Amino acid sequence: MTLSKAIPSLIAIAGLVPAACALEITDDTLKLQIGLTVQARAENATAHDTKGANYSVLGGSDGANDPVNFSLPRVHLTFRGTYTPNWVFRATLQDEGVDQTGTSPQNSSTTANSNRGISTRYAWIQRVDKFDDLTNILQFGLDKPFFNDADYTDDKNLLFPERRAAAALLKARDVGAGYRLSGPVFTVGFDVQNGLNAKAYNANNQNTKSGYMTTARLELSPGAEWKPAAHTETYIGKEGHHLVLGADIGRDGNNLGAGATIKRSTMSYGADVLFHWNGLTTIAEFRAQKRSDESFVGAPTAELKSRIWDIQAGYAMPFAGTVIEPAVRFSKIDNNTDATETVNFGGDTTGAIGAGTKDPDHGASGKEFEAGVNFYPNGNNKSKFQLAVTRWSAESGDASATIVRLQQQFCF
């Protein structure tokens, strides 16, 4: 299906609207909110492999793409609340990548009518103490670390249907402990979590202790009026201004689940800037990663260096109680900075994301340009339609992909 035919076809089926609900229960000491986020997607793709043959974007292999693929990228049921002024809690159940093929950790379905499993996405408790204009938070449980803004930002606050490409580098969501300290112009945080891979002991590594995922992030604003209350990629046309400069570093050490004869250590660091002025919201970021595989059997240490940078902007225009928001994004993806790679879309052959991973949302090493428009019928992100076109071309070779995504979001 050509691009000119794909867009009308996807718009025509946008009437499939998922349901959502909201509920709040309160008493003298407890406040409990129940929330639901549902994202329904229809997608058309045209792609070619490194030799110019047809390539299936969602299948991650040579083959034809269906005219339209339907999926539920995210379904989240959340329980959150407070107990007295000092305790905050959250538990979220998820079902992700429903009928979305590929082997990405975020989208782990491999065939249609699959991935109906429910799992725990978040489960944490925070102790919050305020001292004048400082807020002190100590957290335990399952959560994403305060690290890598592209991955940390909540799904419902994204400018495009899919996350920024930089989210793939050293992404984490594990059990551990975290600390946050916030003031009028800054937020600093540290996290220690279980390592990215499960321990896989064998005769080579059975006497080696598995490591941890440790991260640190600092965010600065020029004044209290410039500091946002939460992470978001769009302010949906709300008047005001925000500016945040972020920098972070993280390390996953002594990973014993990456191979039978190695222990893997991965270091990642990045910097990002968010600027909001009334209808305009822009984000630019740079992220780098270095992975080292140290052998237990005398082989040389193998290293892999990766680098991703991207810039995006959206301009939200209120109109008769609704908001229309055109958006653009450009990403430069380099999963192996020491080589010129000839790869297919989503085919992470170098393993920068993870060995064997195929990401159906973004291309591998190459350039990626995206343009789209968001429509907010009620002027907020509780109901949002997103139409976006992605064009990716490989760093080397003939591989390319053009993808049209229509996504509707309902969340409360």
Side-chain angles (χ1 to χ4, degrees):
M1 181 180 287
T2 63
L3 180 60
S4 60
K5 294 180 180 179
I7 293 178
S9 298
L10 295 180
I11 292 177
I13 59 177
L16 300 177
V17 180
C21 64
L23 175 67
E24 182 174 305
I25 303 170
T26 61
D27 64 16
D28 293 339
T29 58
L30 176 68
K31 179 179 180 181
L32 174 64
Q33 293 179 320
I34 302 175
L36 178 67
T37 298
V38 178
Q39 294 178 346
R41 181 183 298 179
E43 178 175 317
N44 167 269
T46 301
H48 299 92
D49 68 8
T50 58
K51 298 180 181 179
N54 287 335
Y55 184 82
S56 172
V57 168
L58 295 182
S61 62
D62 283 348
N65 292 281
D66 293 333
V68 177
N69 284 284
F70 299 95
S71 65
L72 293 176
R74 302 174 183 93
V75 180
H76 296 166
L77 177 62
T78 296
F79 304 85
R80 75 183 85 196
T82 59
Y83 177 69
T84 71
N86 299 107
W87 294 98
V88 180
F89 59 87
R90 176 178 180 177
T92 297
L93 302 177
Q94 69 169 8
D95 190 2
E96 299 217 339
V98 177
D99 284 12
Q100 184 175 23
T101 56
T103 55
S104 163
Q106 289 287 111
N107 307 288
S108 57
S109 168
T110 55
T111 60
N113 302 315
S114 65
N115 202 29
R116 302 291 194 271
I118 303 298
S119 61
T120 303
R121 182 171 181 83
Y122 303 118
W124 50 255
I125 300 172
Q126 291 180 344
R127 169 71 187 193
V128 181
D129 294 287
K130 295 185 178 181
F131 307 96
D132 295 326
D133 56 359
L134 296 178
T135 301
N136 186 83
I137 300 175
L138 183 63
Q139 175 176 306
F140 292 92
L142 171 63
D143 196 9
K144 291 183 177 182
F146 184 56
F147 172 74
N148 190 345
D149 179 72
D151 186 51
Y152 183 78
T153 301
D154 196 276
D155 303 283
K156 64 179 178 289
N157 296 326
L158 302 182
L159 183 63
F160 281 86
E162 71 282 359
R163 292 186 175 276
R164 309 194 303 265
L169 297 184
L170 200 58
K171 63 191 304 179
R173 179 172 53 86
D174 290 292
V175 177
Y179 175 75
R180 314 279 185 272
L181 180 64
S182 295
V185 298
F186 76 92
T187 298
V188 62
F190 307 92
D191 287 271
V192 178
Q193 297 184 346
N194 294 327
L196 290 181
N197 288 70
K199 299 176 182 178
Y201 289 124
N202 56 56
N204 296 308
N205 64 26
Q206 62 186 2
N207 294 318
T208 303
K209 295 181 180 179
S210 183
Y212 295 92
M213 176 80 173
T214 55
T215 63
R217 179 174 173 85
L218 173 66
E219 294 181 348
L220 296 173
S221 296
E225 70 278 9
W226 289 88
K227 184 182 177 185
H231 283 233
T232 184
E233 294 186 357
T234 174
Y235 288 86
I236 318 177
K238 290 181 174 58
E239 292 190 2
H241 55 267
H242 298 93
L243 177 62
V244 182
L245 304 176
D248 54 45
I249 187 169
R251 182 178 186 272
D252 181 50
N254 274 17
N255 186 329
L256 301 181
T261 63
I262 63 170
K263 62 177 180 179
R264 173 172 294 175
S265 296
T266 304
M267 176 77 74
S268 180
Y269 60 89
D272 50 83
V273 56
L274 176 145
F275 175 72
H276 162 231
W277 189 276
N278 296 332
L280 176 67
T281 306
T282 65
I283 296 176
E285 69 183 322
F286 170 85
R287 181 156 296 278
Q289 177 176 291
K290 179 181 177 181
R291 194 188 72 194
S292 300
D293 292 343
E294 184 178 343
S295 174
F296 287 108
V297 294
T301 298
E303 293 187 347
L304 175 67
K305 299 177 183 178
S306 306
R307 180 171 58 222
I308 298 175
W309 66 268
D310 51 54
I311 182 170
Q312 69 179 36
Y315 190 83
M317 299 173 290
F319 175 75
T322 69
V323 175
I324 300 173
E325 183 180 39
V328 294
R329 177 161 68 195
F330 177 79
S331 304
K332 179 66 171 65
I333 305 167
D334 193 348
N335 287 329
N336 185 353
T337 62
D338 294 326
T340 300
E341 293 188 288
T342 303
V343 290
N344 297 319
F345 180 91
D348 178 34
T349 56
T350 61
I353 304 172
T357 295
K358 296 193 183 295
D359 184 355
D361 282 343
H362 291 285
S365 294
K367 297 178 180 179
E368 192 170 76
F369 178 78
E370 298 167 88
V373 60
N374 301 325
F375 175 62
Y376 306 84
N378 302 309
N380 56 56
N381 68 356
K382 294 184 183 300
S383 181
K384 173 171 64 174
F385 287 93
Q386 297 175 284
L387 177 64
V389 179
T390 297
R391 173 64 182 178
W392 172 84
S393 57
E395 187 176 57
S396 175
D398 296 328
S400 64
T402 300
I403 305 169
V404 183
R405 297 182 177 100
L406 178 64
Q407 181 167 290
Q408 200 229 343
Q409 170 176 291
F410 230 44
C411 71
F412 286 90

